[in-house]
Amino acid sequence: MLIQRAISLYQLWWMFRSHRAQRLAWDDAAEARVARARSERLAEERLQAMLDANPSGQLGNAKLNDWDALRRSGLL
């Protein structure tokens, strides 16, 4: 009888512990969904800003101190 009661108490404790772990996992998943939506929105805004700044689509081809480009643009 005592062993059966101890097993029941252990199962009850384990149930509460597992429910708490599940609740924490749900909360983490909700925070991750919010963070992902925020980062996707920011990425879209940054992409749009890059396209607005350089509509020709030549992103990533710029060089620092490109003297030929500076001469062509009339800055030198």
Side-chain angles (χ1 to χ4, degrees):
M1 182 81 171
L2 182 64
I3 293 174
Q4 190 175 23
R5 180 135 172 101
I7 291 173
S8 295
L9 287 174
Y10 176 75
Q11 287 175 341
L12 180 67
W13 173 78
W14 186 259
M15 180 186 68
F16 284 130
R17 184 176 176 203
S18 64
H19 281 244
R20 182 176 180 273
Q22 184 64 50
R23 173 60 58 193
L24 290 174
W26 287 337
D27 292 343
D28 286 346
E31 289 177 15
R33 282 191 297 274
V34 169
R36 181 177 179 176
R38 184 182 309 123
S39 66
E40 287 177 352
R41 182 178 46 83
L42 288 173
E44 288 173 4
E45 289 175 5
R46 288 179 184 155
L47 174 64
Q48 189 59 48
M50 287 171 35
L51 291 174
D52 291 344
N54 191 0
S56 67
Q58 294 297 320
L59 299 175
N61 294 333
K63 293 189 295 185
L64 291 176
N65 300 326
D66 187 0
W67 299 108
D68 293 333
L70 290 172
R71 283 188 195 99
R72 281 194 309 267
S73 67
L75 294 173
L76 288 181

